[in-house]
Amino acid sequence: SGAAGSFFGITTAGRRFAYIVDKSGSMEGDRMKAAKQELLRSIRSLPDYAKFYIVFYDDFVEEPEMQETWLLARSPIINGVANWIRRLGAKGGTNPLPAFRRVFDQEERPDVIFFLTDGEITSMSPGQIAALNDRGLRTVVNTIAFGDDSSQDLLMKIAQDSGGVYRFVDINR
């Protein structure tokens, strides 16, 4: 119940929306620009009572400095987050597991996670995500293969295990 959050054409209802977004070196250029634009569009479209949490990852986790917990989807907060997002660059490898841990460690669990990657993920398994998601109410994890479907099987399984949606986004159109 609650609001409808959407990210790259996947829409899911909830009140707390987490975004786990790849910023590895392969995201450099148009991929990073498109991911940032869609993320900003998504959080701006949330009603002001919804909450969001953003984690970008490469080999490390990076999140907005003003984000200590869930952020309310209100204009001043979104504007501050937007300034932080615009400054982010792409670098490093593709290791999303610490980002998932960060999101699942929040005192209030997310209702929905939107997870985007553009590369091959060898550092985690669907079972690891399912184990994080088995504590308390199940979180819907929507997965997006962004221009590269080399992790399609992993992403499909993560989405399937949580009742989420898998989507391939062709960024070369």
Side-chain angles (χ1 to χ4, degrees):
S1 68
S6 69
F7 191 58
F8 284 108
I10 301 172
T11 302
T12 309
R15 290 187 165 275
R16 288 179 302 279
F17 300 87
Y19 300 84
I20 299 176
V21 181
D22 193 342
K23 68 174 213 70
S24 62
S26 58
M27 287 288 290
E28 187 65 52
D30 289 344
R31 288 182 184 197
M32 190 68 170
K33 181 179 177 185
K36 288 176 175 183
Q37 286 174 341
E38 178 61 11
L39 176 58
L40 289 171
R41 186 214 54 79
S42 181
I43 62 175
R44 285 185 174 126
S45 71
L46 293 172
D48 66 0
Y49 62 84
K51 295 178 181 180
F52 66 93
Y53 196 88
I54 297 170
V55 182
F56 278 82
Y57 69 91
D58 48 38
D59 294 311
F60 303 97
V61 169
E62 201 165 343
E63 54 190 293
E65 54 267 353
M66 76 286 289
Q67 177 176 274
E68 294 177 20
T69 186
W70 292 95
L71 298 172
L72 276 170
R74 299 204 170 135
S75 291
I77 294 169
I78 291 170
N79 292 338
V81 170
N83 289 332
W84 176 82
I85 289 170
R86 286 188 193 98
R87 295 191 307 264
L88 276 178
K91 65 178 180 356
T94 306
N95 183 12
L97 188 57
F100 273 98
R101 286 188 178 126
R102 181 75 51 97
V103 168
F104 278 115
D105 281 347
Q106 293 307 301
E107 189 172 324
E108 291 182 288
R109 289 177 59 86
D111 297 316
V112 178
I113 294 174
F114 293 109
F115 169 49
L116 179 142
T117 187
D118 81 331
E120 186 173 3
I121 298 171
T122 59
S123 59
M124 72 178 198
S125 69
Q128 288 173 297
I129 302 308
L132 290 170
N133 201 359
D134 276 346
R135 296 177 277 155
L137 294 174
R138 185 168 285 277
T139 297
V140 172
V141 183
N142 297 306
T143 59
I144 297 119
F146 198 54
D148 179 337
D149 64 358
S150 60
S151 287
Q152 175 178 301
D153 292 344
L154 171 85
L155 296 176
M156 289 176 86
K157 181 72 171 140
I158 290 170
Q160 178 186 17
D161 287 349
S162 70
V165 174
Y166 162 78
R167 179 149 195 219
F168 173 76
V169 174
D170 185 358
I171 57 168
N172 298 316
R173 287 191 195 182

